[in-house]
Amino acid sequence: MILFFVFLFGIVIGSFLNVCIHRLPRGESVVAPRSHCPNCQRQIAGYDNIPLLSYLLLGGKCRHCKVRISPIYFSIELVTGLVFVLSYYFLGPDLEFVREAIFGSLLIVLVMTDWQERILPDRINFPGMAIGLLFSLMVPVGDGAGQWLAGRAGLVDLPLELTSLLDAVLGALAGGGLLYLLGELYFRLRHKEGMGFGDVKMMAMVGCFLGPKLALLTILLGSLSGSVIGLLLIVALRKG
């Protein structure tokens, strides 16, 4: 029963993430005006804005102009609900669950804005960094790099909160710093930009949540999976 209510809360958050995904790349407010149909511009009534259910009852169409609404809206709500459920299932009613649910929500917005608009909004990355650093004081990052570095500097018996914060800071430097160096190297060699600075800020945000080891692992796995998918698309579409 608790998981059901967690799912309901997740799909409500997913509905808000849809607003963020649509409006942030355009520099619009995510608070006002109220949600409206992108085709006829009519405001969406509250009874037509119930996560998941309204989309199914309306057959994926606007009540007024009958133009089909992208299934992406439905998918985002569903995925967000599942992220919340899985986080709660594995972590339970703990601050770590809250952290992972927020982290997952931030990544959903970034994935979709990057896919649709090729933008990684600062209005997600910078608050995400702040949230990651704040949570590191309450939920240990557990990377170990901070404690190792503190020991090397002769700082023994540091409070767990400080070593965790140091893990988060090192994660931001490792994740964002590596991409910055790779982008700069590419620019020096090819004399054209190969990576946007949004990627650097995104990985700095990821590092604040994960610490340096998992941030670097994320870059490695992302690069490998991107290469595999890219090669498959080249073969399937017969393009260069």
Side-chain angles (χ1 to χ4, degrees):
M1 182 59 72
I2 294 179
L3 288 178
F4 175 72
F5 285 108
V6 170
F7 179 74
L8 289 182
F9 183 66
I11 62 176
V12 170
I13 296 298
S15 181
F16 175 68
L17 297 187
N18 272 322
V19 175
C20 296
I21 291 165
H22 179 75
R23 297 187 183 183
L24 286 179
R26 296 165 176 80
E28 300 174 354
S29 169
V30 299
V31 179
R34 288 177 51 184
S35 297
H36 55 273
C37 172
N39 180 64
C40 67
Q41 304 301 314
R42 292 279 294 272
Q43 282 192 353
I44 299 175
Y47 50 79
D48 284 339
N49 206 19
I50 303 172
L52 297 184
L53 185 60
S54 292
Y55 187 91
L56 296 175
L57 292 177
L58 293 171
K61 298 179 181 179
C62 172
R63 178 183 293 275
H64 304 288
C65 66
K66 306 303 181 184
V67 168
R68 180 164 294 279
I69 298 172
S70 171
I72 289 177
Y73 291 97
F74 180 90
S75 302
I76 294 300
E77 293 171 353
L78 179 61
V79 168
T80 307
L82 293 176
V83 166
F84 274 58
V85 166
L86 290 173
S87 299
Y88 188 90
Y89 179 79
F90 286 107
L91 301 173
D94 190 80
L95 270 177
E96 191 172 1
F97 152 67
V98 179
R99 182 186 71 174
E100 297 308 317
I102 292 175
F103 183 43
S105 298
L106 293 171
L107 291 180
I108 288 171
V109 175
L110 290 172
V111 166
M112 295 307 299
T113 56
D114 192 26
W115 177 40
Q116 294 179 344
E117 307 290 343
R118 298 296 187 267
I119 293 175
L120 296 166
D122 288 345
R123 291 166 68 185
I124 294 295
N125 284 323
F126 288 138
M129 292 180 203
I131 293 170
L133 292 174
L134 179 61
F135 266 105
S136 71
L137 295 172
M138 299 180 287
V139 180
V141 177
D143 183 276
Q147 187 175 12
W148 177 84
L149 185 61
R152 288 285 181 175
L155 301 173
V156 296
D157 298 326
L158 277 181
L160 180 60
E161 294 83 1
L162 289 182
T163 57
S164 179
L165 177 61
L166 188 54
D167 277 337
V169 172
L170 291 173
L173 293 175
L178 178 60
L179 287 195
Y180 176 79
L181 291 175
L182 290 174
E184 187 67 17
L185 179 62
Y186 186 89
F187 180 78
R188 299 292 181 183
L189 294 175
R190 302 291 300 274
H191 303 291
K192 61 180 180 179
E193 192 166 313
M195 183 178 300
F197 203 66
D199 299 280
V200 175
K201 289 177 280 189
M202 179 194 69
M203 280 311 303
M205 185 273 289
V206 169
C208 288
F209 280 90
L210 300 183
K213 294 177 184 176
L214 289 180
L216 294 176
L217 180 62
T218 299
I219 293 175
L220 174 62
L221 294 179
S223 301
L224 289 176
S225 60
S227 299
V228 171
I229 293 172
L231 289 172
L232 290 176
L233 288 174
I234 289 173
V235 172
L237 302 177
R238 297 181 180 180
K239 293 185 176 181

